[in-house]
């Protein structure tokens, strides 16, 4: 019997839950290498979860326990498909599991979406969360109105971040460049567009409830958009509670005592973004529901807006030589199997659905399939083989102990009231690692 060698590409929740499952499956008879393009681990926990939701980010402590196992290794600052090919990983490891998530924005397919100051939520959230790929986004917040397209929790996160005062960011790890830009923001009206109605939202009660507690912002819902209250009985408890928040917003007094208004515009389908040098207006068509689907009525109107953020979903990054389902926006797979020895898990398998915790059973399920397929292992080179290949190419990777140095430096650099100040440039992270 050989030691099994497992490569996991992606160090977010799906990656670490898969590593945890591998340890439980094979105990001492496995070696797991977790690869990431960035020098820092934890994926969307670090750069996707809202900076003012620190309790959710606390799940990274669980991943750290797995990461510190002698049989698990973090291999950061290595891009699979560029620095190392998938086929090369497959030659070295018994199984390669893609846990790369869905870091790219889905396109809206609207005229004008390429205009300056129109962003997808992955890039906009990455900007205020300090993702190195989006740190230089520099959105203009000088217009009084922002339009957010989408009716999920990410739309609520973006609205809340745009509406918060400086004081309300205490305790968060929002990065300094975003905090400064938001402090100078001229946005006073935030419109959240949804193609369907209140009963079709994908917003959870906690996130909706937070909007009603903001110091300088007031949420508002047009009471005419709400169905008869008796119809709420058909909803599940969570949806019913969410719609209850919307009813509270509709019944509240006008927002005259607040600096910022957050308006829910239901039955509203964006048709185009208009402007010359940047976004200036959003053209919207009024809709109605037919068999649960939004159908255009032909009635259109325009919302002046200098900032547009589309929160309509994500898709997985393609990797050379890995089959991809363009329509679904993730790797082509059969219950996680892509090809012999190649698997996917989490959002890379099923798309951006479920919660962070949903990735745990997904990780355990894929390891069961791997165990069934590889049996007692094949005697592949694994970790030593990768190290030899990386050394021959001059690929210097970041270890978990290196990440701990970066972590300590970020904590030391934190402004008062914040848990850390993230490095937003890879070269600055590497500088920390390089210091003795």
């Amino acid at each position: 019997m050989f030691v099994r060698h497992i490569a996991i590409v992606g160090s977010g929740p799906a990656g670490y839950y898969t590593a945890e499952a591998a340890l439980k499956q094979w105990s001492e008879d496995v070696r797991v290498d977790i690869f990431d393009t960035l020098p820092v681990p934890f994926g969307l926990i670090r750069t996707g979860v809202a900076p003012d939701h620190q309790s959710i980010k606390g799940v990274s402590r669980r991943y750290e326990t797995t990461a510190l196992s002698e049989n698990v290794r973090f291999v950061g600052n290595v891009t699979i498909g560029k620095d190392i090919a998938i086929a090369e990983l497959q030659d070295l490891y018994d199984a390669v599991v893609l846990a790369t998530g869905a870091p790219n924005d889905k396109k809206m397919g609207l005229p004008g979406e390429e205009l300056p100051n129109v962003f997808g939520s992955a890039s906009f959230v990455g900007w205020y969360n300090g993702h190195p790929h989006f740190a230089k986004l520099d959105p203009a917040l000088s217009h009084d109105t922002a339009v957010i397209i989408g009716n999920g929790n990410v739309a609520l996160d973006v609205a809340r971040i745009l509406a918060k005062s400086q004081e309300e960011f205490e305790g968060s790890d929002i990065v300094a460049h975003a905090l400064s830009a938001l402090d100078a923001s001229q946005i006073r009206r935030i419109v959240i567009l949804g193609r369907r109605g209140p009963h079709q939202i994908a917003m959870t009660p906690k996130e909706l409830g937070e909007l009603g507690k903001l110091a300088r912002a007031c949420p508002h819902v047009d009471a005419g958009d709400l169905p008869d209250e008796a119809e709420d009985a058909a909803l599940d408890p969570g949806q019913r509670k969410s719609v209850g928040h919307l009813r509270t917003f509709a019944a509240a007094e006008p927002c005259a005592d607040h600096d910022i208004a957050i308006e829910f515009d239901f039955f509203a389908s964006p048709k185009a973004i208009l402007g010359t040098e940047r976004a200036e207006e959003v053209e919207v068509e009024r809709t109605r529901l037919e068999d649960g689907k939004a159908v255009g009525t032909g009635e259109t109107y325009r919302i002046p807006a200098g900032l547009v953020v589309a929160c309509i979903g994500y898709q997985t990054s393609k990797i050379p030589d890995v089959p991809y389902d363009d329509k679904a926006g993730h790797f082509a797979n059969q219950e996680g199997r892509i090809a012999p020895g190649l698997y996917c898990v989490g959002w890379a398998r099923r798309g951006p659905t479920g919660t962070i915790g949903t990735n745990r059973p997904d990780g355990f399920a894929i390891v069961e399939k791997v165990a069934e397929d590889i049996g007692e292992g094949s005697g592949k080179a694994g970790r030593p083989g990768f190290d030899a290949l990386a050394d021959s190419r001059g690929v210097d990777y970041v270890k978990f102990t290196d990440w701990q140095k970066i972590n300590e430096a970020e904590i030391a650099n934190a402004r008062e009231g914040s848990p850390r100040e993230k490095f937003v440039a890879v070269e600055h992270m590497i500088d920390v690692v390089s210091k003795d």
Side-chain angles (χ1 to χ4, degrees), residues 252-324:
E253 294 293 325
C255 303
D257 295 335
H258 293 78
D259 293 333
I260 298 174
I262 302 174
E263 303 173 14
F264 288 82
D265 192 359
F266 292 109
F267 305 107
S269 178
K271 307 307 291 182
I273 300 164
L274 309 173
T276 50
E277 296 183 357
R278 55 175 270 185
E280 296 173 5
E281 293 181 307
V282 179
E283 184 175 81
V284 182
E285 182 179 16
R286 186 61 67 199
T287 66
R288 65 175 183 274
L289 286 182
E290 289 186 6
D291 297 324
K293 295 182 179 180
V295 177
T297 64
E299 176 191 348
T300 62
Y301 57 99
R302 293 181 179 183
I303 303 172
L307 171 69
V308 179
V309 184
C311 307
I312 61 169
Y314 307 107
Q315 54 190 10
T316 298
S317 300
K318 294 181 179 181
I319 296 177
D321 302 320
V322 178
Y324 192 87

Side-chain angles (χ1 to χ4, degrees), residues 7 23 35 45 85 111 121 137 231 269 279 294 336 352 362 380 400:
L23 290 178
F35 295 84
I45 299 301
S121 54
L137 201 68
E231 296 180 29
S269 178
D362 208 20
K380 289 188 175 183
F400 199 80

Side-chain angles (χ1 to χ4, degrees), residues 128-418:
Y128 62 64
N129 254 329
H131 194 298
H133 295 169
F134 306 115
K136 295 181 180 179
L137 201 68
D138 195 24
L141 308 178
S142 53
H143 194 279
D144 67 350
T145 301
V147 167
I148 300 171
I149 299 170
N151 266 187
N153 280 345
V154 177
L156 293 180
D157 286 344
V158 172
R160 189 179 67 255
I161 295 299
L162 287 173
K164 275 196 166 185
S165 64
Q166 287 277 295
E167 293 73 22
E168 288 175 293
F169 283 113
E170 184 171 352
S172 79
D173 64 350
I174 190 169
V175 291
H177 66 246
L179 192 63
S180 177
L182 290 166
D183 188 41
S185 171
Q186 299 300 307
I187 294 171
R188 295 297 177 263
R189 182 190 182 208
I190 301 168
V191 182
I192 302 175
L193 293 183
R195 293 184 303 110
R196 299 188 292 171
H199 276 192
Q200 289 75 42
I201 61 172
M203 299 169 171
T204 50
K206 178 182 180 294
E207 281 68 23
L208 272 170
E210 287 180 286
L211 285 195
K213 300 175 182 176
L214 296 175
R216 61 175 186 168
C218 173
H220 177 71
V221 173
D222 186 338
D225 286 340
L226 291 162
D228 290 337
E229 193 165 356
E231 296 180 29
D232 292 357
L235 302 174
D236 67 47
Q239 287 178 303
R240 196 157 53 244
K241 191 171 182 180
S242 291
V243 174
H245 283 303
L246 297 179
R247 294 191 184 280
T248 299
F249 299 159
E253 294 293 325
C255 303
D257 295 335
H258 293 78
D259 293 333
I260 298 174
I262 302 174
E263 303 173 14
F264 288 82
D265 192 359
F266 292 109
F267 305 107
S269 178
K271 307 307 291 182
I273 300 164
L274 309 173
T276 50
E277 296 183 357
R278 55 175 270 185
E280 296 173 5
E281 293 181 307
V282 179
E283 184 175 81
V284 182
E285 182 179 16
R286 186 61 67 199
T287 66
R288 65 175 183 274
L289 286 182
E290 289 186 6
D291 297 324
K293 295 182 179 180
V295 177
T297 64
E299 176 191 348
T300 62
Y301 57 99
R302 293 181 179 183
I303 303 172
L307 171 69
V308 179
V309 184
C311 307
I312 61 169
Y314 307 107
Q315 54 190 10
T316 298
S317 300
K318 294 181 179 181
I319 296 177
D321 302 320
V322 178
Y324 192 87
D325 185 334
D326 286 291
K327 185 176 181 181
H330 57 66
F331 297 119
N333 71 94
Q334 294 292 325
E335 296 184 339
R337 289 184 173 99
I338 299 174
L342 183 62
Y343 307 82
C344 56
V345 69
W347 285 8
R349 177 187 73 82
R350 68 181 190 274
T353 61
T355 64
I356 291 168
T358 306
N359 292 294
R360 185 176 187 275
D362 208 20
F364 276 74
I366 205 65
V367 165
E368 287 182 5
K369 290 180 173 64
V370 172
E372 178 184 333
D373 293 347
I374 69 173
E376 295 186 351
S378 60
K380 289 188 175 183
R383 186 175 294 178
F386 171 79
D387 286 348
L389 179 61
D391 185 61
S392 71
R393 293 188 181 165
V395 175
D396 293 324
Y397 59 83
V398 170
K399 301 181 291 295
F400 199 80
T401 51
D402 297 325
W403 149 244
Q404 289 176 315
K405 292 180 183 178
I406 296 169
N407 185 43
E408 290 171 2
E410 289 185 340
I411 292 171
N413 291 340
R415 65 183 177 276
E416 186 176 356
S418 175

